[in-house]
Amino acid sequence: MMSKRSPWIGAVASTLCLALLAVTLSAPVPAKAASNMVPDYEVKLLLDSAVVLGSDNKLNGTVRDAFGMPETVTKMNVQFMDTDNKDIYDNGWVARIRKTEGEKDFELTYKKRYPITNGNIDAALTKANQEGFDSSDTNYEAQVEWGYQNQTLSLSRVKSDSKAGYSGMDLPSASDSRKLLVNNVPVKMDKWLYSGWGTDMLNNSRIYGPVLAKRYIGTWSGIKTYIEIWPIQNAAGTGIEYVVEASFKTTSRTTAQQKHDELIVYLQSKGWFLPQDSLKTQLIMDRY
């Protein structure tokens, strides 16, 4: 004969079930991690300056014609700011001020860079994500700089500002450069190693540069293509070394890979290719 369940036991069970349900419904839902940033790609390859530049250090007509480039150029005056010990650069950051011909304001760029090992772009994006650079942060633009053999992930925050007393292609003095960069320093850089780190580093920075570069614009294989000439002080500090770089941008990793290889073959066929990675920023940081 089955015994009847006590009404008291049933009431307790019902109460426990309701309590458990309430706890379940009120429990916080784990936040879903933001995905990695989606980069675009800039392929950068070096040309042999001894071959592609004329005696006036301008791009020769044969090269210009091959890329459909006019003689006219756009000038860009560039300088970097860092401490004497290069604390900003050594921690993977770059603070750059650029004045482009025809533009009114100074362009201030704060860039965090991550090396890409063995072509593993996704690993670099994941590392950046772990350090706070993910798809939810729309202030930074992610780009893979794709050189001859090496690749670098760059996350750039670009701002613009002006300062009275400068005209044309003039860049601000060291004092004014420090003020401009400190006034606009992004939170991620300012808090990199400790709260106020970016401000401290910039307040103790000096100028590396400036370098007045020239940009030609044309096309190759249906893609907008740039060739830039950067006159950088040589290692001995006694003269100028001309760095000539061809580049193009794409949003497609597949296109970047394919056209990177095709452009190398094309430049090699013309005898213009310099089989080295482009290290303009590093050269400027080392030589000024």
Side-chain angles (χ1 to χ4, degrees), residues 92-258:
W93 282 91
V94 169
R96 184 185 73 193
I97 299 180
R98 179 166 67 182
K99 184 64 180 294
T100 301
E101 189 174 18
E103 297 291 332
K104 179 182 177 182
D105 293 339
F106 298 116
E107 180 185 273
L108 313 178
T109 299
Y110 306 83
K111 184 182 293 188
K112 181 67 177 77
R113 309 181 79 193
Y114 291 89
I116 294 173
T117 306
N118 298 323
N120 195 338
I121 295 170
D122 294 314
L125 287 166
T126 298
K127 173 67 173 176
N129 190 330
Q130 293 168 348
E131 295 189 348
F133 297 95
D134 57 47
S135 59
S136 68
D137 191 343
T138 56
N139 290 318
Y140 286 82
E141 294 183 358
Q143 182 175 85
V144 173
E145 299 173 358
W146 200 312
Y148 170 48
Q149 292 181 317
N150 296 328
Q151 299 165 323
T152 302
L153 173 63
S154 292
L155 309 175
S156 300
R157 178 80 185 267
V158 180
K159 300 187 179 184
S160 63
D161 206 343
S162 59
K163 188 73 176 177
Y166 298 94
S167 61
M169 297 299 295
D170 291 343
L171 288 172
S173 65
S175 176
D176 287 340
S177 294
R178 286 191 286 268
K179 291 175 183 176
L180 285 167
L181 288 167
V182 167
N183 288 343
N184 291 279
V185 64
V187 173
K188 279 187 171 65
M189 180 179 179
D190 203 29
K191 293 184 176 181
W192 190 246
L193 295 185
Y194 57 83
S195 182
W197 176 80
T199 296
D200 287 349
M201 296 303 105
L202 291 168
N203 274 329
N204 288 283
S205 65
R206 67 168 178 87
I207 293 173
Y208 288 78
V211 175
L212 181 61
K214 297 178 181 179
R215 172 186 286 169
Y216 295 81
I217 304 175
T219 57
W220 170 80
S221 191
I223 302 173
K224 189 174 185 178
T225 304
Y226 306 91
I227 294 182
E228 295 179 356
I229 302 173
W230 288 66
I232 298 174
Q233 183 171 277
N234 64 19
T238 58
I240 295 296
E241 173 185 337
Y242 289 89
V243 176
V244 185
E245 178 188 86
S247 65
F248 64 84
K249 297 178 182 179
T250 177
T251 58
S252 166
R253 187 180 301 189
T254 301
T255 300
Q257 174 71 74
Q258 177 185 343

